């Protein structure tokens, strides 16, 4: 649904075997409410371009489960080396309580000028169990793609819903509510297993469009359910003005959002349609 979300992990996996180690340290600055990843150096990285015997590595970090929300941080690129030295600090402005329900994904990549970067290895750190008194630089082995990076992040929950089409004139002439044109009814019952962005859960709501129409006329939404990763909406959305032949080009887009004062955060979504949408 969101191009930025889908492209977060774009790159070339599997063409190079992960090897080598990375040295880094973690710290939380209470005064500035800032999470700091001090990336020191890497050793014995895989060689990507074997003909030239070179790799141009850089280090990239995400906070999981929602990569898109906090965004990525990355170091500079060090050219023609499998033992790059960075001595750079990657910073995230984040509350400590929120940080403790995240995982840090730190990965090393070869920078390709054509944009097809090659994965060189990663490490995943569960920040809930991290020893925050340990501020020293330590070495960690780089591993192949982790299962949580491949599967866990792509799972953004499950939506329970039903869709009904009421054709024009189908309720009979005697029915005062008989629609002159057809109606599409979408019943959003509930959502389960949403990403937990805060210790208290999320304040979620569902947006709905019938594509290809993205105008205000097409936009509808549910109420906000607060502090719940399994919200129950029991909300029916109705669109009128439909004829049966319109359905083949229509596509329902339902997206779930975390409501905050300044900006809403995308949690996941689905598109359902018969054809082009």
């Amino acid at each position: 649904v969101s191009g930025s979300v889908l492209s977060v992990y774009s790159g070339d996996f599997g063409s190079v075997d992960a090897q080598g180690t990375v040295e880094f340290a973690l710290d939380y600055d209470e005064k500035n409410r800032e999470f700091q990843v001090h990336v020191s150096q890497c050793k014995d990285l895989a060689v990507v371009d074997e003909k030239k015997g070179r790799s141009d590595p850089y280090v990239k970090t995400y906070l999981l489960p929602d990569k898109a929300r906090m965004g990525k941080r990355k170091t500079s690129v060090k050219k023609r080396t499998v033992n790059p030295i960075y001595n750079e600090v990657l910073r995230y402005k984040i509350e400590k309580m929120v940080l403790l329900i995240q995982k840090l994904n730190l990965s090393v990549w070869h920078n390709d000028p054509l944009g097809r970067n090659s994965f060189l290895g990663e490490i995943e750190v569960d920040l809930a169990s991290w020893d925050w008194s340990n501020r020293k630089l330590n070495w960690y082995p780089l591993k192949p793609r982790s299962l949580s990076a491949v599967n866990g992040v792509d799972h953004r929950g499950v939506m329970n819903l039903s869709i009904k089409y009421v054709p024009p004139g189908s309720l009979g002439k005697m029915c005062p509510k008989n629609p002159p044109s057809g109606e599409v009814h979408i019943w959003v019952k509930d959502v389960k297993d949403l990403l937990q962005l805060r210790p208290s859960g999320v304040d979620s709501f569902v947006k709905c469009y019938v594509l290809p129409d993205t105008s205000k006329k097409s936009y509808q939404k549910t109420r906000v359910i607060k502090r719940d990763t399994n919200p129950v909406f029991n909300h029916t959305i109705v669109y009128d003005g439909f004829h049966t032949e319109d359905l083949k080009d229509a596509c329902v887009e339902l997206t779930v959002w975390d409501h905050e004062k300044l900006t809403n955060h995308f949690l996941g979504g689905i598109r359902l349609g018969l054809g082009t949408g």
Side-chain angles (χ1 to χ4, degrees), residues 76-94:
S76 57
V77 176
K78 302 298 178 184
K79 296 198 172 181
R80 297 181 180 86
T81 178
V82 292
N83 299 298
I85 297 173
Y86 300 100
N87 284 324
E88 297 179 36
V89 179
L90 308 178
R91 305 172 189 272
Y92 290 87
K93 287 284 187 184
I94 185 171

Side-chain angles (χ1 to χ4, degrees), residues 160-163 185-189 233-237:
N160 195 10
L161 65 107
S162 69
I163 299 179
H185 296 214
I186 304 159
W187 176 37
V188 180
K189 186 183 179 187
F233 294 101
N234 269 331
H235 184 100
T236 300
I237 297 166

Side-chain angles (χ1 to χ4, degrees), residues 30-271:
E30 300 278 358
K31 183 181 177 183
N32 294 311
R33 295 177 177 174
E34 187 177 76
F35 175 49
Q36 300 172 348
V37 184
H38 179 191
V39 181
S40 173
Q41 59 184 316
C42 299
K43 270 188 182 174
D44 303 323
L45 295 175
V47 175
V48 175
D49 190 338
E50 292 185 356
K51 286 183 181 177
K52 297 179 181 177
R54 67 179 283 180
S55 293
D56 299 339
Y58 68 96
V59 175
K60 180 167 67 172
T61 60
Y62 286 107
L63 288 178
L64 307 178
D66 195 352
K67 298 171 298 192
R69 187 179 191 223
M70 294 302 298
K72 69 182 173 187
R73 307 286 187 271
K74 58 183 181 179
T75 66
S76 57
V77 176
K78 302 298 178 184
K79 296 198 172 181
R80 297 181 180 86
T81 178
V82 292
N83 299 298
I85 297 173
Y86 300 100
N87 284 324
E88 297 179 36
V89 179
L90 308 178
R91 305 172 189 272
Y92 290 87
K93 287 284 187 184
I94 185 171
E95 296 288 341
K96 183 75 175 282
M97 284 181 69
V98 178
L99 183 66
L100 293 180
I101 59 172
Q102 313 279 320
K103 290 183 180 178
L104 171 70
N105 179 273
L106 183 149
S107 54
V108 185
W109 295 77
H110 162 73
N111 182 63
D112 183 335
L114 298 177
R116 192 65 179 169
N117 299 336
S118 296
F119 175 78
L120 300 179
E122 72 176 359
I123 178 169
E124 204 165 276
V125 178
D126 188 344
L127 297 175
S129 57
W130 180 257
D131 178 8
W132 292 97
S133 65
N134 173 20
R135 296 185 176 91
K136 294 179 182 177
L137 288 164
N138 289 296
W139 288 97
Y140 303 88
L142 289 166
K143 300 176 181 178
R145 292 279 337 253
S146 70
L147 283 174
S148 63
V150 176
N151 300 323
V153 178
D154 293 332
H155 176 76
R156 293 178 160 258
V158 181
M159 185 182 292
N160 195 10
L161 65 107
S162 69
I163 299 179
K164 177 172 69 172
Y165 176 60
V166 182
S170 61
L171 300 182
K173 294 179 181 179
M174 301 303 292
C175 180
K177 292 183 179 180
N178 194 25
S181 60
E183 294 181 346
V184 172
H185 296 214
I186 304 159
W187 176 37
V188 180
K189 186 183 179 187
D190 55 36
V191 180
K192 290 184 169 64
D193 303 328
L194 287 175
L195 294 178
Q196 184 164 333
L197 302 183
R198 292 182 293 279
S200 60
V202 289
D203 299 343
S204 63
F205 67 98
V206 178
K207 287 184 187 179
C208 184
Y209 284 97
V210 175
L211 305 178
D213 186 0
T214 56
S215 67
K216 280 188 175 180
K217 189 183 82 168
S218 176
Y219 173 63
Q220 295 196 49
K221 65 178 181 178
T222 68
R223 69 190 187 284
V224 175
I225 305 292
K226 294 192 173 182
R227 296 183 294 279
D228 198 340
T229 53
N230 299 293
V232 177
F233 294 101
N234 269 331
H235 184 100
T236 300
I237 297 166
V238 177
Y239 289 92
D240 59 13
F242 269 90
H243 297 284
T244 308
E245 60 271 18
D246 297 333
L247 294 178
K248 69 178 186 296
D249 293 321
C251 174
V252 173
E253 179 184 271
L254 294 157
T255 51
V256 188
W257 298 77
D258 176 46
H259 175 70
E260 286 191 15
K261 286 182 181 177
L262 296 178
T263 181
N264 298 318
H265 297 287
F266 175 76
L267 296 176
I270 53 176
R271 282 181 178 161

